[in-house]
Amino acid sequence: MIAYPWTALVTVAALILYFVVTLNVGRARFKYNVSPPATSGNPDFERVFRVQQNTVEQIVLFIPALWVFSLFVSQLWGAALGAVWVIGRILFAWGYYQAPEKRAAGFGISSLVTIALLLGSLIGVGLTLYQTF
């Protein structure tokens, strides 16, 4: 079996990030008195909630793309790009918690990484299939 420890480490880092932003929603519910199932009512709470929601939307693309890229292209490059994605998501959250207009840099970084992983995955899988003919 071939091990992918760097890819696994980045995956765990991304999941920890998601866990933290999810905990932040719970803390914000208490702080801003927004009881479940409500998701609106206080703009400060809504920003924290949107960080969590956007992170789940992005992680669904990121994790499979990270693994396919690592399997078919390069584990080290995949993990390096993945680490940049995690940093981008931290910047996104940190900025968005302060003000919506401060989220753009982090969103842009993580989105570009996701696109690179997806395109790299497609090329890597395509080349592998081509070589089987």
Side-chain angles (χ1 to χ4, degrees), residues 23-34 44-46 48-49:
L23 288 177
N24 288 345
V25 172
R27 290 182 8 197
R29 281 190 181 283
F30 180 75
K31 182 177 181 179
Y32 300 114
N33 197 28
V34 178
D44 295 322
F45 169 77
E46 291 171 14
V48 175
F49 182 72

Side-chain angles (χ1 to χ4, degrees), residues 20-105:
V20 169
V21 299
T22 300
L23 288 177
N24 288 345
V25 172
R27 290 182 8 197
R29 281 190 181 283
F30 180 75
K31 182 177 181 179
Y32 300 114
N33 197 28
V34 178
S35 299
T39 58
S40 62
N42 181 298
D44 295 322
F45 169 77
E46 291 171 14
R47 286 197 310 272
V48 175
F49 182 72
R50 279 305 307 147
V51 166
Q52 189 264 341
Q53 289 299 294
N54 189 267
T55 301
V56 76
E57 293 163 4
Q58 296 300 314
I59 208 166
V60 168
L61 288 170
F62 167 70
I63 290 180
L66 169 68
W67 278 91
V68 174
F69 186 99
S70 294
L71 289 166
F72 287 90
V73 179
S74 167
Q75 176 189 195
L76 290 178
W77 279 106
L81 286 167
V84 172
W85 185 90
V86 172
I87 292 166
R89 295 310 299 177
I90 290 168
L91 293 173
F92 171 80
W94 194 359
Y96 208 168
Y97 290 156
Q98 295 171 35
E101 58 275 3
K102 293 185 177 184
R103 73 188 194 277

Side-chain angles (χ1 to χ4, degrees), residues 5 12 19 30 34 54-55 73 75-76 84 91 100 108 112 114 117 119-120 125 129 132-133:
V12 171
F19 184 70
F30 180 75
V34 178
N54 189 267
T55 301
V73 179
Q75 176 189 195
L76 290 178
V84 172
L91 293 173
L112 289 173
T114 299
L117 290 170
L119 290 175
V125 170
L129 287 172
T132 63
F133 288 114

